[in-house]
Amino acid sequence: ALRELGEHAAVGALELVKLLSDVNPFLRSSAADALGGLGEHAAVGIPDLMQLLVDEHSDARSSAARALRELGERAAVVVPELMRLLADEDSVVRSFAVDLLGGLGEHAAIGVPELVKLLADEDSDIRSFAAYALHELGDHAASAVPELVK
């Protein structure tokens, strides 16, 4: 529904981006969710959504991840930052980074070696997410096949 706002969606996106840094974690989370519904207009919030991926509140982190996922390949500019987050000590942050990389297609092919390393992560969820992300990358992750069949 929000995508149908046309040119008004761009103005709404700018207002929502401001809320991503609000002191209220519920408001940050809600703003990220709303941005995710704005389609291409949400691209203006990509840097702020990336910051929210390391928010202290898990709801805000998961909302930011969903919004970035909704942007699909428009969010390809975040690949270098996602690569950095693959090494984060917080497994929730790592899982968001893995999931997002899986949805970025050819733009995330540079991350295949790191995703392969995560197949041996101590956290079983991370291992599972990494395997699924490699699956999502399809032919772009062909070099990972030997590790996936182990």
Side-chain angles (χ1 to χ4, degrees):
L2 290 173
R3 294 174 202 257
E4 297 171 9
L5 292 175
E7 64 187 51
H8 302 291
V11 174
L14 292 173
E15 293 303 313
L16 289 169
V17 168
K18 292 177 188 174
L19 296 175
L20 294 176
S21 59
D22 195 90
V23 295
N24 182 331
F26 177 74
L27 197 52
R28 292 194 303 272
S29 178
S30 296
D33 283 333
L35 265 175
L38 289 179
E40 66 187 52
H41 300 290
V44 68
I46 288 174
D48 298 276
L49 289 168
M50 283 301 298
Q51 286 292 354
L52 212 53
L53 284 178
V54 294
D55 193 273
E56 63 186 81
H57 296 277
S58 63
D59 287 345
R61 291 193 306 259
S62 61
S63 294
R66 281 191 303 272
L68 286 165
R69 188 76 142 118
E70 286 292 319
L71 282 167
E73 293 195 6
R74 285 184 220 91
V77 298
V78 303
V79 169
E81 181 64 14
L82 292 175
M83 297 293 294
R84 187 185 69 72
L85 292 178
L86 290 177
D88 196 277
E89 64 185 37
D90 185 335
S91 65
V92 173
V93 172
R94 286 196 319 275
S95 70
F96 290 145
V98 169
D99 179 59
L100 290 171
L101 280 171
L104 292 177
E106 68 181 292
H107 305 288
I110 191 170
V112 169
E114 293 303 313
L115 290 171
V116 168
K117 288 179 188 174
L118 290 176
L119 293 172
D121 194 272
E122 62 188 34
D123 185 317
S124 63
D125 288 337
I126 297 294
R127 293 192 305 269
S128 178
F129 290 139
Y132 188 74
L134 289 165
H135 163 76
E136 282 189 300
L137 290 174
D139 291 341
H140 304 293
S143 64
V145 170
E147 291 299 317
L148 287 168
V149 296
K150 282 186 176 179

